[in-house]
Amino acid sequence: EASYNLVNAVRKFFVDKPFLPFRYSDGEGFLKGLIIREAKRTGQRMAILRTSEQVAEGFEEVLADFCELLKANGVDSGFWSMDISKRGQPRRVVEKHLFGPEVLLEKMVIDGEEFDFEVAPSAFFQVNLFQAEVLYSVVRRLVLAKPVKRVYDLFCGTGTIGLALARHVEAVVGIELNEEAVKVAKENA
């Protein structure tokens, strides 16, 4: 319900502003979307406003009011994420930290073992925490059914699977393209 209320508050905030929604058909416009990340065990909430790189005139002047709106709706940290997408070039994302902690803190419990994770705004982290715990428990049982020395955690994001196995093997190698996720995975380790 809190996320639903936040979405409605943000929609109402922007309805009378001159910022056009982004149109994927022609690449014009500014506002792309709102991502809400909520840590299920810690209760922390992060909001990421996604826009195009074509910064709308007057947008930066309303950022302070936008941040206050997020805080009033229980958001602990806010980010502005600009998607830079040009034909023939790799897509890039430029994030601007607006307020609060730079990472979301979450806890996972896998087979009774507790893990603390930092989650960056653009880093992958399982959306359904409780189902992820069940999945990682199954992965751990399957991997450790035979003696294993080294685990390769492909597309590791914040390192959740590799770290769930780390205490039971000699080495874990995480492979990830997202530089922010790699930094956070190292912190989580």
Side-chain angles (χ1 to χ4, degrees):
E1 183 179 343
S3 293
Y4 178 79
N5 292 339
L6 176 59
V7 168
N8 283 333
V10 169
R11 185 179 289 128
K12 186 176 178 182
F13 178 83
F14 282 114
V15 76
D16 64 345
K17 309 277 188 296
F19 311 126
L20 297 175
F22 186 80
R23 292 186 314 264
Y24 288 90
S25 60
D26 63 7
E28 295 297 319
F30 181 59
L31 297 173
K32 285 190 165 185
L34 180 71
I35 298 169
I36 303 167
R37 296 188 94 156
E38 183 177 57
K40 299 301 180 194
R41 293 208 192 277
T42 66
Q44 287 187 338
R45 294 174 72 210
M46 175 186 287
I48 306 145
L49 180 67
R50 293 183 55 240
T51 70
S52 72
E53 77 275 12
Q54 304 166 17
V55 179
E57 187 176 323
F59 177 71
E60 295 193 43
E61 288 77 27
V62 303
L63 268 179
D65 290 339
F66 178 69
C67 290
E68 290 307 312
L69 170 83
L70 294 177
K71 291 175 189 176
N73 280 275
V75 174
D76 298 294
S77 61
F79 289 82
W80 170 20
S81 176
M82 289 177 278
D83 292 340
I84 301 171
S85 182
K86 298 189 189 303
R87 289 182 195 255
Q89 296 179 9
R91 181 180 164 268
R92 292 186 310 122
V93 175
V94 175
E95 288 177 351
K96 182 175 180 180
H97 178 232
L98 300 174
F99 68 91
E102 292 188 26
V103 293
L104 191 70
L105 301 177
E106 183 59 286
K107 293 181 181 301
M108 290 185 92
V109 179
I110 303 165
D111 295 330
E113 196 174 347
E114 192 171 292
F115 298 87
D116 294 325
F117 290 101
E118 292 183 353
V119 183
S122 63
F124 174 79
F125 193 83
Q126 293 290 340
V127 176
N128 186 328
L129 176 75
F130 305 114
Q131 189 60 43
E133 292 171 339
V134 172
L135 173 66
Y136 295 174
S137 178
V138 170
V139 168
R140 191 151 91 166
R141 280 195 299 272
L142 291 172
V143 170
L144 300 177
K146 297 178 182 178
V148 175
K149 289 186 177 186
R150 178 175 294 211
V151 170
Y152 291 91
D153 187 355
L154 306 178
F155 315 104
C156 68
T158 57
T160 52
I161 293 174
L163 292 172
L165 295 165
R167 294 180 184 149
H168 306 281
V169 298
E170 290 180 21
V172 172
V173 177
I175 299 173
E176 174 62 60
L177 288 174
N178 181 318
E179 291 178 31
E180 193 63 31
V182 170
K183 187 171 98 175
V184 172
K186 286 179 180 179
E187 287 292 320
N188 288 332

